[in-house]
Each structure stands twice: as C-alpha cells, then as structure tokens.
Amino acid sequence: MTRTAAFDRETVIRAARDVFWREGYAETALPTLEKATGLNRSSIYNSFGSKRGLFDAAVDNYLDEVVRPRLRPLTQESVEPTALSDYLSGLSKAFEKLESAPGCLLVNATGTTLAHDPEVCRVITNYLEELRSAVTAGVRAAKPHLDSPAQSRLVDAITAMTISSFTLVRIDRSQAIRTLDTARKLLTADTNES
C-alpha cells in the first residue's frame, strides 16, 4: 500500500508561491519554504523533486489563480469595449491595496539566473504572449475604428507599460500606478487615426 501525502498540495504550493513572489527564487532559502509550507526538506524534495520543482508548481499556480482570472474578461469570445480599461484600473487598485508590492512573479524571474533557463524562458515568453493577446483583444474592442497599424502601436505601448508597472511597483508604487493610469488614458483618448 502506498503512503499518501498528509498535506494539501495546493495549500503548500500557494504558500511557496507567496514566498517566491515576495522574496524571489534565488533569495528564498529552503528553511523559509519549510516554515511557510509546514513541510520539511525531505517532504519538499519527495513531493516536488527540488526547490525548482516547487517553484515550477508555484508558477503554474500563479498563472491559474492570479494572472488568468484577471485576464479572463479579455480572453472571452466577446470582449467588452471597457474590458482593457477595467483590467488596467483593477491592477492599479490591486497595487494600492498591497502591503508590500511584489510585482509579477514571472517578470521578477527575468532579473535572475532563472532567465537563462530554457524552460523558464518558455513559460515567461508564453505569459508575455498571453498578455499581449489579451491586450490586443481589449484594444480591438475599445478602438475598432483604428486601422491595424494604429491598434498594434497601442497594443505595444499598453503591453510595455503594463510590464513596466510590474517592475516599478517593487520600488515605487505610485509611479507604477501612474504608468497604468497613463496606459488607460492612451486607450481611452480620442484619436483621429484610422
């Protein structure tokens, strides 16, 4: 008879996710993960293979529980004209509420040695494509009168400003919020381009 794990895997992954998100992968020591998850080192290794395996599980959880729910209104078959503006406003409100502003778990990983790992690069690239696709749908819904090049420029600007805000929030929350506000104003501004 095999022994089943005596812990809730998703609860452990969420706890680890929050530590990695706040501290960063390289800066997170195993004793910190042990304390946060309630698992000892051998249980972490037996269940996830390694600290990196736990990080990978935390990234999947982050995408499923944090990123995709926020993007959902932009990934539906029919996107409301205000969906992208609402997304940007929602991010600003989330930044305002955070006691500490960890930014984006995946964007944070780009500034570490993990950025050289092909699997992490693939996950980050896929995430950026997912974000850009969502922003594209939002721009098309909000600005259907713009021609394709004008929509693309707006998508580029808003995507870049969103990623920038995820980096800025770690050091200057008010600047991150202003960046999102500027992106929202770009989206809602009247333009004569067609």
Side-chain angles (χ1 to χ4, degrees), residues 70-71 73-75 79-91 131-143 151 154-155 157-159 162 180 183-184 186-188:
R70 194 174 288 281
L71 289 177
L74 294 162
T75 61
V79 176
E80 294 295 320
T82 61
L84 183 53
S85 181
D86 293 345
Y87 168 78
L88 296 168
S89 294
L91 282 180
L131 176 63
R132 182 177 171 75
S133 177
V135 171
T136 299
V139 166
R140 286 180 180 156
K143 298 287 191 180
Q151 285 181 347
L154 194 52
V155 168
I158 291 173
T159 302
T162 302
L180 290 171
R184 195 177 54 73
L186 279 175
L187 178 67
T188 58

PDB file of all heavy atoms in Angstrom, residues 70-71 73-75 79-91 131-143 151 154-155 157-159 162 180 183-184 186-188:
ATOM      1  N   ARG A  70      -7.643  37.474 -13.839  1.00  0.00           N
ATOM      2  CA  ARG A  70      -7.656  38.910 -14.125  1.00  0.00           C
ATOM      3  C   ARG A  70      -7.765  39.164 -15.626  1.00  0.00           C
ATOM      4  O   ARG A  70      -8.379  40.129 -16.061  1.00  0.00           O
ATOM      5  CB  ARG A  70      -6.390  39.556 -13.546  1.00  0.00           C
ATOM      6  CG  ARG A  70      -6.451  41.055 -13.490  1.00  0.00           C
ATOM      7  CD  ARG A  70      -5.262  41.644 -12.781  1.00  0.00           C
ATOM      8  NE  ARG A  70      -5.262  41.435 -11.360  1.00  0.00           N
ATOM      9  CZ  ARG A  70      -5.976  42.133 -10.476  1.00  0.00           C
ATOM     10  NH1 ARG A  70      -6.761  43.091 -10.889  1.00  0.00           N
ATOM     11  NH2 ARG A  70      -5.890  41.878  -9.187  1.00  0.00           N
ATOM     12  N   LEU A  71      -7.165  38.298 -16.421  1.00  0.00           N
ATOM     13  CA  LEU A  71      -7.206  38.458 -17.882  1.00  0.00           C
ATOM     14  C   LEU A  71      -8.490  37.912 -18.507  1.00  0.00           C
ATOM     15  O   LEU A  71      -8.786  38.205 -19.665  1.00  0.00           O
ATOM     16  CB  LEU A  71      -6.008  37.747 -18.536  1.00  0.00           C
ATOM     17  CG  LEU A  71      -4.634  38.358 -18.334  1.00  0.00           C
ATOM     18  CD1 LEU A  71      -3.572  37.483 -18.982  1.00  0.00           C
ATOM     19  CD2 LEU A  71      -4.566  39.774 -18.873  1.00  0.00           C
ATOM     20  N   PRO A  73     -11.710  38.510 -18.669  1.00  0.00           N
ATOM     21  CA  PRO A  73     -12.618  39.343 -19.482  1.00  0.00           C
ATOM     22  C   PRO A  73     -12.033  39.728 -20.842  1.00  0.00           C
ATOM     23  O   PRO A  73     -12.772  40.085 -21.754  1.00  0.00           O
ATOM     24  CB  PRO A  73     -12.843  40.585 -18.613  1.00  0.00           C
ATOM     25  CG  PRO A  73     -12.569  40.128 -17.219  1.00  0.00           C
ATOM     26  CD  PRO A  73     -11.470  39.102 -17.354  1.00  0.00           C
ATOM     27  N   LEU A  74     -10.710  39.618 -20.976  1.00  0.00           N
ATOM     28  CA  LEU A  74     -10.042  39.951 -22.234  1.00  0.00           C
ATOM     29  C   LEU A  74      -9.810  38.731 -23.115  1.00  0.00           C
ATOM     30  O   LEU A  74      -9.308  38.860 -24.234  1.00  0.00           O
ATOM     31  CB  LEU A  74      -8.702  40.640 -21.949  1.00  0.00           C
ATOM     32  CG  LEU A  74      -8.806  42.012 -21.293  1.00  0.00           C
ATOM     33  CD1 LEU A  74      -7.487  42.416 -20.664  1.00  0.00           C
ATOM     34  CD2 LEU A  74      -9.278  43.038 -22.301  1.00  0.00           C
ATOM     35  N   THR A  75     -10.141  37.566 -22.604  1.00  0.00           N
ATOM     36  CA  THR A  75      -9.897  36.335 -23.372  1.00  0.00           C
ATOM     37  C   THR A  75     -11.189  35.620 -23.757  1.00  0.00           C
ATOM     38  O   THR A  75     -11.137  34.533 -24.320  1.00  0.00           O
ATOM     39  CB  THR A  75      -8.991  35.371 -22.572  1.00  0.00           C
ATOM     40  OG1 THR A  75      -9.632  35.017 -21.344  1.00  0.00           O
ATOM     41  CG2 THR A  75      -7.634  35.993 -22.294  1.00  0.00           C
ATOM     42  N   VAL A  79     -15.401  40.385 -26.225  1.00  0.00           N
ATOM     43  CA  VAL A  79     -14.718  41.260 -25.266  1.00  0.00           C
ATOM     44  C   VAL A  79     -15.446  42.606 -25.216  1.00  0.00           C
ATOM     45  O   VAL A  79     -15.698  43.217 -26.262  1.00  0.00           O
ATOM     46  CB  VAL A  79     -13.238  41.454 -25.656  1.00  0.00           C
ATOM     47  CG1 VAL A  79     -12.547  42.429 -24.724  1.00  0.00           C
ATOM     48  CG2 VAL A  79     -12.520  40.105 -25.662  1.00  0.00           C
ATOM     49  N   GLU A  80     -15.772  43.035 -24.025  1.00  0.00           N
ATOM     50  CA  GLU A  80     -16.457  44.318 -23.841  1.00  0.00           C
ATOM     51  C   GLU A  80     -15.506  45.472 -24.163  1.00  0.00           C
ATOM     52  O   GLU A  80     -14.303  45.382 -23.907  1.00  0.00           O
ATOM     53  CB  GLU A  80     -16.951  44.458 -22.395  1.00  0.00           C
ATOM     54  CG  GLU A  80     -18.033  43.481 -22.003  1.00  0.00           C
ATOM     55  CD  GLU A  80     -19.314  43.707 -22.777  1.00  0.00           C
ATOM     56  OE1 GLU A  80     -19.686  44.876 -22.993  1.00  0.00           O
ATOM     57  OE2 GLU A  80     -19.935  42.703 -23.176  1.00  0.00           O
ATOM     58  N   PRO A  81     -16.015  46.585 -24.686  1.00  0.00           N
ATOM     59  CA  PRO A  81     -15.167  47.735 -25.008  1.00  0.00           C
ATOM     60  C   PRO A  81     -14.397  48.288 -23.801  1.00  0.00           C
ATOM     61  O   PRO A  81     -13.328  48.858 -23.967  1.00  0.00           O
ATOM     62  CB  PRO A  81     -16.155  48.769 -25.551  1.00  0.00           C
ATOM     63  CG  PRO A  81     -17.301  47.971 -26.055  1.00  0.00           C
ATOM     64  CD  PRO A  81     -17.400  46.776 -25.150  1.00  0.00           C
ATOM     65  N   THR A  82     -14.915  48.099 -22.602  1.00  0.00           N
ATOM     66  CA  THR A  82     -14.247  48.632 -21.408  1.00  0.00           C
ATOM     67  C   THR A  82     -13.347  47.603 -20.713  1.00  0.00           C
ATOM     68  O   THR A  82     -12.743  47.905 -19.683  1.00  0.00           O
ATOM     69  CB  THR A  82     -15.290  49.117 -20.382  1.00  0.00           C
ATOM     70  OG1 THR A  82     -16.107  48.004 -19.997  1.00  0.00           O
ATOM     71  CG2 THR A  82     -16.140  50.242 -20.949  1.00  0.00           C
ATOM     72  N   ALA A  83     -13.234  46.397 -21.259  1.00  0.00           N
ATOM     73  CA  ALA A  83     -12.520  45.316 -20.574  1.00  0.00           C
ATOM     74  C   ALA A  83     -11.053  45.661 -20.292  1.00  0.00           C
ATOM     75  O   ALA A  83     -10.552  45.395 -19.194  1.00  0.00           O
ATOM     76  CB  ALA A  83     -12.616  44.022 -21.373  1.00  0.00           C
ATOM     77  N   LEU A  84     -10.360  46.236 -21.245  1.00  0.00           N
ATOM     78  CA  LEU A  84      -8.948  46.551 -21.039  1.00  0.00           C
ATOM     79  C   LEU A  84      -8.787  47.706 -20.061  1.00  0.00           C
ATOM     80  O   LEU A  84      -7.926  47.664 -19.179  1.00  0.00           O
ATOM     81  CB  LEU A  84      -8.252  46.867 -22.369  1.00  0.00           C
ATOM     82  CG  LEU A  84      -6.753  47.150 -22.292  1.00  0.00           C
ATOM     83  CD1 LEU A  84      -5.996  46.038 -21.554  1.00  0.00           C
ATOM     84  CD2 LEU A  84      -6.189  47.344 -23.698  1.00  0.00           C
ATOM     85  N   SER A  85      -9.610  48.720 -20.172  1.00  0.00           N
ATOM     86  CA  SER A  85      -9.568  49.820 -19.210  1.00  0.00           C
ATOM     87  C   SER A  85      -9.857  49.300 -17.799  1.00  0.00           C
ATOM     88  O   SER A  85      -9.190  49.681 -16.835  1.00  0.00           O
ATOM     89  CB  SER A  85     -10.586  50.895 -19.601  1.00  0.00           C
ATOM     90  OG  SER A  85     -10.542  51.964 -18.693  1.00  0.00           O
ATOM     91  N   ASP A  86     -10.829  48.398 -17.686  1.00  0.00           N
ATOM     92  CA  ASP A  86     -11.155  47.796 -16.389  1.00  0.00           C
ATOM     93  C   ASP A  86      -9.982  46.980 -15.849  1.00  0.00           C
ATOM     94  O   ASP A  86      -9.695  47.002 -14.651  1.00  0.00           O
ATOM     95  CB  ASP A  86     -12.391  46.902 -16.504  1.00  0.00           C
ATOM     96  CG  ASP A  86     -13.662  47.679 -16.810  1.00  0.00           C
ATOM     97  OD1 ASP A  86     -13.672  48.925 -16.654  1.00  0.00           O
ATOM     98  OD2 ASP A  86     -14.648  47.033 -17.222  1.00  0.00           O
ATOM     99  N   TYR A  87      -9.294  46.245 -16.738  1.00  0.00           N
ATOM    100  CA  TYR A  87      -8.121  45.466 -16.342  1.00  0.00           C
ATOM    101  C   TYR A  87      -7.038  46.379 -15.767  1.00  0.00           C
ATOM    102  O   TYR A  87      -6.487  46.116 -14.697  1.00  0.00           O
ATOM    103  CB  TYR A  87      -7.586  44.682 -17.547  1.00  0.00           C
ATOM    104  CG  TYR A  87      -6.223  44.078 -17.345  1.00  0.00           C
ATOM    105  CD1 TYR A  87      -6.052  42.914 -16.601  1.00  0.00           C
ATOM    106  CD2 TYR A  87      -5.096  44.675 -17.901  1.00  0.00           C
ATOM    107  CE1 TYR A  87      -4.793  42.366 -16.419  1.00  0.00           C
ATOM    108  CE2 TYR A  87      -3.837  44.125 -17.728  1.00  0.00           C
ATOM    109  CZ  TYR A  87      -3.684  42.976 -16.987  1.00  0.00           C
ATOM    110  OH  TYR A  87      -2.425  42.436 -16.801  1.00  0.00           O
ATOM    111  N   LEU A  88      -6.742  47.468 -16.468  1.00  0.00           N
ATOM    112  CA  LEU A  88      -5.705  48.399 -16.013  1.00  0.00           C
ATOM    113  C   LEU A  88      -6.096  49.059 -14.690  1.00  0.00           C
ATOM    114  O   LEU A  88      -5.275  49.195 -13.788  1.00  0.00           O
ATOM    115  CB  LEU A  88      -5.430  49.447 -17.094  1.00  0.00           C
ATOM    116  CG  LEU A  88      -4.854  48.901 -18.408  1.00  0.00           C
ATOM    117  CD1 LEU A  88      -4.906  49.956 -19.505  1.00  0.00           C
ATOM    118  CD2 LEU A  88      -3.443  48.371 -18.211  1.00  0.00           C
ATOM    119  N   SER A  89      -7.356  49.451 -14.573  1.00  0.00           N
ATOM    120  CA  SER A  89      -7.841  50.034 -13.315  1.00  0.00           C
ATOM    121  C   SER A  89      -7.771  49.017 -12.181  1.00  0.00           C
ATOM    122  O   SER A  89      -7.405  49.359 -11.051  1.00  0.00           O
ATOM    123  CB  SER A  89      -9.282  50.519 -13.467  1.00  0.00           C
ATOM    124  OG  SER A  89      -9.343  51.585 -14.374  1.00  0.00           O
ATOM    125  N   GLY A  90      -8.122  47.766 -12.487  1.00  0.00           N
ATOM    126  CA  GLY A  90      -8.051  46.710 -11.481  1.00  0.00           C
ATOM    127  C   GLY A  90      -6.643  46.471 -10.985  1.00  0.00           C
ATOM    128  O   GLY A  90      -6.415  46.253  -9.788  1.00  0.00           O
ATOM    129  N   LEU A  91      -5.668  46.517 -11.897  1.00  0.00           N
ATOM    130  CA  LEU A  91      -4.271  46.383 -11.482  1.00  0.00           C
ATOM    131  C   LEU A  91      -3.877  47.531 -10.566  1.00  0.00           C
ATOM    132  O   LEU A  91      -3.213  47.320  -9.536  1.00  0.00           O
ATOM    133  CB  LEU A  91      -3.339  46.363 -12.696  1.00  0.00           C
ATOM    134  CG  LEU A  91      -3.226  45.075 -13.484  1.00  0.00           C
ATOM    135  CD1 LEU A  91      -2.252  45.263 -14.643  1.00  0.00           C
ATOM    136  CD2 LEU A  91      -2.789  43.917 -12.609  1.00  0.00           C
ATOM    137  N   LEU A 131      -0.439  37.787 -22.384  1.00  0.00           N
ATOM    138  CA  LEU A 131      -0.764  39.164 -22.013  1.00  0.00           C
ATOM    139  C   LEU A 131      -0.978  40.011 -23.264  1.00  0.00           C
ATOM    140  O   LEU A 131      -1.966  40.743 -23.363  1.00  0.00           O
ATOM    141  CB  LEU A 131       0.343  39.764 -21.145  1.00  0.00           C
ATOM    142  CG  LEU A 131       0.172  41.232 -20.775  1.00  0.00           C
ATOM    143  CD1 LEU A 131      -1.082  41.458 -19.918  1.00  0.00           C
ATOM    144  CD2 LEU A 131       1.417  41.745 -20.045  1.00  0.00           C
ATOM    145  N   ARG A 132      -0.074  39.904 -24.221  1.00  0.00           N
ATOM    146  CA  ARG A 132      -0.201  40.697 -25.443  1.00  0.00           C
ATOM    147  C   ARG A 132      -1.479  40.349 -26.199  1.00  0.00           C
ATOM    148  O   ARG A 132      -2.171  41.230 -26.709  1.00  0.00           O
ATOM    149  CB  ARG A 132       1.022  40.505 -26.341  1.00  0.00           C
ATOM    150  CG  ARG A 132       0.945  41.358 -27.601  1.00  0.00           C
ATOM    151  CD  ARG A 132       2.184  41.225 -28.461  1.00  0.00           C
ATOM    152  NE  ARG A 132       1.974  41.890 -29.726  1.00  0.00           N
ATOM    153  CZ  ARG A 132       1.977  43.199 -29.938  1.00  0.00           C
ATOM    154  NH1 ARG A 132       2.190  44.019 -28.933  1.00  0.00           N
ATOM    155  NH2 ARG A 132       1.765  43.716 -31.134  1.00  0.00           N
ATOM    156  N   SER A 133      -1.819  39.083 -26.258  1.00  0.00           N
ATOM    157  CA  SER A 133      -3.055  38.660 -26.914  1.00  0.00           C
ATOM    158  C   SER A 133      -4.275  39.254 -26.219  1.00  0.00           C
ATOM    159  O   SER A 133      -5.214  39.722 -26.873  1.00  0.00           O
ATOM    160  CB  SER A 133      -3.130  37.129 -26.926  1.00  0.00           C
ATOM    161  OG  SER A 133      -4.339  36.704 -27.484  1.00  0.00           O
ATOM    162  N   ALA A 134      -4.263  39.266 -24.892  1.00  0.00           N
ATOM    163  CA  ALA A 134      -5.371  39.842 -24.129  1.00  0.00           C
ATOM    164  C   ALA A 134      -5.467  41.346 -24.374  1.00  0.00           C
ATOM    165  O   ALA A 134      -6.555  41.887 -24.580  1.00  0.00           O
ATOM    166  CB  ALA A 134      -5.199  39.543 -22.647  1.00  0.00           C
ATOM    167  N   VAL A 135      -4.324  42.023 -24.372  1.00  0.00           N
ATOM    168  CA  VAL A 135      -4.310  43.467 -24.629  1.00  0.00           C
ATOM    169  C   VAL A 135      -4.799  43.741 -26.051  1.00  0.00           C
ATOM    170  O   VAL A 135      -5.570  44.678 -26.285  1.00  0.00           O
ATOM    171  CB  VAL A 135      -2.908  44.071 -24.375  1.00  0.00           C
ATOM    172  CG1 VAL A 135      -2.832  45.522 -24.854  1.00  0.00           C
ATOM    173  CG2 VAL A 135      -2.548  43.980 -22.887  1.00  0.00           C
ATOM    174  N   THR A 136      -4.394  42.912 -26.993  1.00  0.00           N
ATOM    175  CA  THR A 136      -4.844  43.071 -28.379  1.00  0.00           C
ATOM    176  C   THR A 136      -6.367  42.984 -28.460  1.00  0.00           C
ATOM    177  O   THR A 136      -7.019  43.817 -29.110  1.00  0.00           O
ATOM    178  CB  THR A 136      -4.190  42.009 -29.289  1.00  0.00           C
ATOM    179  OG1 THR A 136      -2.775  42.189 -29.262  1.00  0.00           O
ATOM    180  CG2 THR A 136      -4.694  42.114 -30.722  1.00  0.00           C
ATOM    181  N   ALA A 137      -6.943  41.989 -27.795  1.00  0.00           N
ATOM    182  CA  ALA A 137      -8.402  41.845 -27.807  1.00  0.00           C
ATOM    183  C   ALA A 137      -9.064  43.060 -27.170  1.00  0.00           C
ATOM    184  O   ALA A 137     -10.096  43.547 -27.657  1.00  0.00           O
ATOM    185  CB  ALA A 137      -8.806  40.567 -27.060  1.00  0.00           C
ATOM    186  N   GLY A 138      -8.455  43.574 -26.102  1.00  0.00           N
ATOM    187  CA  GLY A 138      -9.005  44.753 -25.442  1.00  0.00           C
ATOM    188  C   GLY A 138      -8.931  45.999 -26.299  1.00  0.00           C
ATOM    189  O   GLY A 138      -9.873  46.801 -26.341  1.00  0.00           O
ATOM    190  N   VAL A 139      -7.826  46.176 -27.002  1.00  0.00           N
ATOM    191  CA  VAL A 139      -7.672  47.336 -27.894  1.00  0.00           C
ATOM    192  C   VAL A 139      -8.663  47.239 -29.047  1.00  0.00           C
ATOM    193  O   VAL A 139      -9.321  48.227 -29.401  1.00  0.00           O
ATOM    194  CB  VAL A 139      -6.216  47.462 -28.405  1.00  0.00           C
ATOM    195  CG1 VAL A 139      -6.123  48.440 -29.577  1.00  0.00           C
ATOM    196  CG2 VAL A 139      -5.285  47.891 -27.264  1.00  0.00           C
ATOM    197  N   ARG A 140      -8.792  46.063 -29.618  1.00  0.00           N
ATOM    198  CA  ARG A 140      -9.735  45.898 -30.739  1.00  0.00           C
ATOM    199  C   ARG A 140     -11.172  46.197 -30.304  1.00  0.00           C
ATOM    200  O   ARG A 140     -11.940  46.793 -31.062  1.00  0.00           O
ATOM    201  CB  ARG A 140      -9.640  44.489 -31.304  1.00  0.00           C
ATOM    202  CG  ARG A 140      -8.382  44.265 -32.110  1.00  0.00           C
ATOM    203  CD  ARG A 140      -8.299  42.861 -32.654  1.00  0.00           C
ATOM    204  NE  ARG A 140      -7.073  42.695 -33.431  1.00  0.00           N
ATOM    205  CZ  ARG A 140      -6.496  41.539 -33.647  1.00  0.00           C
ATOM    206  NH1 ARG A 140      -7.027  40.418 -33.189  1.00  0.00           N
ATOM    207  NH2 ARG A 140      -5.386  41.479 -34.355  1.00  0.00           N
ATOM    208  N   ALA A 141     -11.513  45.772 -29.081  1.00  0.00           N
ATOM    209  CA  ALA A 141     -12.874  46.028 -28.581  1.00  0.00           C
ATOM    210  C   ALA A 141     -13.086  47.502 -28.264  1.00  0.00           C
ATOM    211  O   ALA A 141     -14.158  48.054 -28.522  1.00  0.00           O
ATOM    212  CB  ALA A 141     -13.147  45.185 -27.345  1.00  0.00           C
ATOM    213  N   ALA A 142     -12.061  48.154 -27.743  1.00  0.00           N
ATOM    214  CA  ALA A 142     -12.183  49.556 -27.346  1.00  0.00           C
ATOM    215  C   ALA A 142     -12.023  50.515 -28.515  1.00  0.00           C
ATOM    216  O   ALA A 142     -12.617  51.600 -28.527  1.00  0.00           O
ATOM    217  CB  ALA A 142     -11.144  49.889 -26.267  1.00  0.00           C
ATOM    218  N   LYS A 143     -11.202  50.136 -29.490  1.00  0.00           N
ATOM    219  CA  LYS A 143     -10.868  51.025 -30.608  1.00  0.00           C
ATOM    220  C   LYS A 143     -11.065  50.327 -31.959  1.00  0.00           C
ATOM    221  O   LYS A 143     -10.137  50.219 -32.766  1.00  0.00           O
ATOM    222  CB  LYS A 143      -9.405  51.482 -30.485  1.00  0.00           C
ATOM    223  CG  LYS A 143      -9.082  52.272 -29.242  1.00  0.00           C
ATOM    224  CD  LYS A 143      -9.652  53.652 -29.329  1.00  0.00           C
ATOM    225  CE  LYS A 143      -9.114  54.526 -28.210  1.00  0.00           C
ATOM    226  NZ  LYS A 143      -9.650  55.871 -28.284  1.00  0.00           N
ATOM    227  N   GLN A 151      -3.720  50.136 -34.098  1.00  0.00           N
ATOM    228  CA  GLN A 151      -4.041  49.226 -32.997  1.00  0.00           C
ATOM    229  C   GLN A 151      -2.781  48.545 -32.477  1.00  0.00           C
ATOM    230  O   GLN A 151      -2.584  48.431 -31.267  1.00  0.00           O
ATOM    231  CB  GLN A 151      -5.060  48.167 -33.457  1.00  0.00           C
ATOM    232  CG  GLN A 151      -6.456  48.692 -33.604  1.00  0.00           C
ATOM    233  CD  GLN A 151      -7.433  47.598 -34.038  1.00  0.00           C
ATOM    234  OE1 GLN A 151      -7.047  46.511 -34.449  1.00  0.00           O
ATOM    235  NE2 GLN A 151      -8.726  47.919 -33.951  1.00  0.00           N
ATOM    236  N   LEU A 154      -0.743  50.809 -30.258  1.00  0.00           N
ATOM    237  CA  LEU A 154      -1.398  50.948 -28.966  1.00  0.00           C
ATOM    238  C   LEU A 154      -1.190  49.686 -28.125  1.00  0.00           C
ATOM    239  O   LEU A 154      -0.912  49.768 -26.921  1.00  0.00           O
ATOM    240  CB  LEU A 154      -2.885  51.238 -29.171  1.00  0.00           C
ATOM    241  CG  LEU A 154      -3.681  51.725 -27.965  1.00  0.00           C
ATOM    242  CD1 LEU A 154      -3.034  52.929 -27.284  1.00  0.00           C
ATOM    243  CD2 LEU A 154      -5.109  52.056 -28.402  1.00  0.00           C
ATOM    244  N   VAL A 155      -1.294  48.525 -28.742  1.00  0.00           N
ATOM    245  CA  VAL A 155      -1.044  47.260 -28.046  1.00  0.00           C
ATOM    246  C   VAL A 155       0.391  47.228 -27.526  1.00  0.00           C
ATOM    247  O   VAL A 155       0.639  46.858 -26.364  1.00  0.00           O
ATOM    248  CB  VAL A 155      -1.327  46.049 -28.966  1.00  0.00           C
ATOM    249  CG1 VAL A 155      -0.786  44.756 -28.352  1.00  0.00           C
ATOM    250  CG2 VAL A 155      -2.818  45.924 -29.241  1.00  0.00           C
ATOM    251  N   ALA A 157       2.384  49.729 -26.806  1.00  0.00           N
ATOM    252  CA  ALA A 157       2.551  50.691 -25.715  1.00  0.00           C
ATOM    253  C   ALA A 157       1.905  50.197 -24.420  1.00  0.00           C
ATOM    254  O   ALA A 157       2.527  50.246 -23.349  1.00  0.00           O
ATOM    255  CB  ALA A 157       1.961  52.050 -26.111  1.00  0.00           C
ATOM    256  N   ILE A 158       0.690  49.710 -24.499  1.00  0.00           N
ATOM    257  CA  ILE A 158      -0.020  49.282 -23.287  1.00  0.00           C
ATOM    258  C   ILE A 158       0.620  48.030 -22.693  1.00  0.00           C
ATOM    259  O   ILE A 158       0.761  47.922 -21.472  1.00  0.00           O
ATOM    260  CB  ILE A 158      -1.519  49.092 -23.577  1.00  0.00           C
ATOM    261  CG1 ILE A 158      -2.149  50.466 -23.846  1.00  0.00           C
ATOM    262  CG2 ILE A 158      -2.224  48.389 -22.419  1.00  0.00           C
ATOM    263  CD1 ILE A 158      -3.588  50.417 -24.317  1.00  0.00           C
ATOM    264  N   THR A 159       1.039  47.095 -23.547  1.00  0.00           N
ATOM    265  CA  THR A 159       1.713  45.897 -23.040  1.00  0.00           C
ATOM    266  C   THR A 159       3.015  46.284 -22.338  1.00  0.00           C
ATOM    267  O   THR A 159       3.290  45.816 -21.219  1.00  0.00           O
ATOM    268  CB  THR A 159       1.979  44.896 -24.179  1.00  0.00           C
ATOM    269  OG1 THR A 159       0.735  44.553 -24.801  1.00  0.00           O
ATOM    270  CG2 THR A 159       2.654  43.639 -23.655  1.00  0.00           C
ATOM    271  N   THR A 162       2.317  47.973 -19.039  1.00  0.00           N
ATOM    272  CA  THR A 162       1.845  47.021 -18.033  1.00  0.00           C
ATOM    273  C   THR A 162       3.024  46.260 -17.438  1.00  0.00           C
ATOM    274  O   THR A 162       3.155  46.152 -16.209  1.00  0.00           O
ATOM    275  CB  THR A 162       0.820  46.043 -18.650  1.00  0.00           C
ATOM    276  OG1 THR A 162      -0.275  46.802 -19.178  1.00  0.00           O
ATOM    277  CG2 THR A 162       0.303  45.060 -17.619  1.00  0.00           C
ATOM    278  N   LEU A 180       0.178  52.786 -15.159  1.00  0.00           N
ATOM    279  CA  LEU A 180      -1.072  52.131 -15.558  1.00  0.00           C
ATOM    280  C   LEU A 180      -2.141  53.156 -15.923  1.00  0.00           C
ATOM    281  O   LEU A 180      -2.903  52.956 -16.874  1.00  0.00           O
ATOM    282  CB  LEU A 180      -1.574  51.215 -14.445  1.00  0.00           C
ATOM    283  CG  LEU A 180      -0.740  49.966 -14.197  1.00  0.00           C
ATOM    284  CD1 LEU A 180      -1.205  49.265 -12.930  1.00  0.00           C
ATOM    285  CD2 LEU A 180      -0.782  49.024 -15.391  1.00  0.00           C
ATOM    286  N   ALA A 183      -1.395  54.355 -19.352  1.00  0.00           N
ATOM    287  CA  ALA A 183      -1.806  53.348 -20.336  1.00  0.00           C
ATOM    288  C   ALA A 183      -3.321  53.406 -20.552  1.00  0.00           C
ATOM    289  O   ALA A 183      -3.798  53.347 -21.695  1.00  0.00           O
ATOM    290  CB  ALA A 183      -1.391  51.956 -19.863  1.00  0.00           C
ATOM    291  N   ARG A 184      -4.059  53.559 -19.469  1.00  0.00           N
ATOM    292  CA  ARG A 184      -5.523  53.646 -19.575  1.00  0.00           C
ATOM    293  C   ARG A 184      -5.932  54.902 -20.339  1.00  0.00           C
ATOM    294  O   ARG A 184      -6.834  54.873 -21.176  1.00  0.00           O
ATOM    295  CB  ARG A 184      -6.154  53.620 -18.179  1.00  0.00           C
ATOM    296  CG  ARG A 184      -7.646  53.351 -18.183  1.00  0.00           C
ATOM    297  CD  ARG A 184      -8.203  53.258 -16.788  1.00  0.00           C
ATOM    298  NE  ARG A 184      -7.889  54.413 -15.956  1.00  0.00           N
ATOM    299  CZ  ARG A 184      -8.429  55.611 -16.083  1.00  0.00           C
ATOM    300  NH1 ARG A 184      -9.319  55.832 -17.013  1.00  0.00           N
ATOM    301  NH2 ARG A 184      -8.074  56.590 -15.287  1.00  0.00           N
ATOM    302  N   LEU A 186      -4.144  56.437 -22.631  1.00  0.00           N
ATOM    303  CA  LEU A 186      -3.838  56.201 -24.045  1.00  0.00           C
ATOM    304  C   LEU A 186      -4.973  55.428 -24.713  1.00  0.00           C
ATOM    305  O   LEU A 186      -5.363  55.728 -25.836  1.00  0.00           O
ATOM    306  CB  LEU A 186      -2.550  55.378 -24.193  1.00  0.00           C
ATOM    307  CG  LEU A 186      -1.225  56.095 -24.100  1.00  0.00           C
ATOM    308  CD1 LEU A 186      -0.092  55.081 -24.145  1.00  0.00           C
ATOM    309  CD2 LEU A 186      -1.071  57.110 -25.217  1.00  0.00           C
ATOM    310  N   LEU A 187      -5.499  54.470 -23.991  1.00  0.00           N
ATOM    311  CA  LEU A 187      -6.571  53.649 -24.534  1.00  0.00           C
ATOM    312  C   LEU A 187      -7.861  54.432 -24.717  1.00  0.00           C
ATOM    313  O   LEU A 187      -8.564  54.260 -25.714  1.00  0.00           O
ATOM    314  CB  LEU A 187      -6.825  52.450 -23.597  1.00  0.00           C
ATOM    315  CG  LEU A 187      -7.944  51.504 -23.992  1.00  0.00           C
ATOM    316  CD1 LEU A 187      -7.582  50.764 -25.282  1.00  0.00           C
ATOM    317  CD2 LEU A 187      -8.251  50.535 -22.875  1.00  0.00           C
ATOM    318  N   THR A 188      -8.161  55.282 -23.767  1.00  0.00           N
ATOM    319  CA  THR A 188      -9.456  55.971 -23.792  1.00  0.00           C
ATOM    320  C   THR A 188      -9.399  57.312 -24.512  1.00  0.00           C
ATOM    321  O   THR A 188     -10.444  57.930 -24.738  1.00  0.00           O
ATOM    322  CB  THR A 188      -9.990  56.185 -22.354  1.00  0.00           C
ATOM    323  OG1 THR A 188      -9.045  56.927 -21.601  1.00  0.00           O
ATOM    324  CG2 THR A 188     -10.245  54.834 -21.685  1.00  0.00           C
TER     325      THR A 188
END
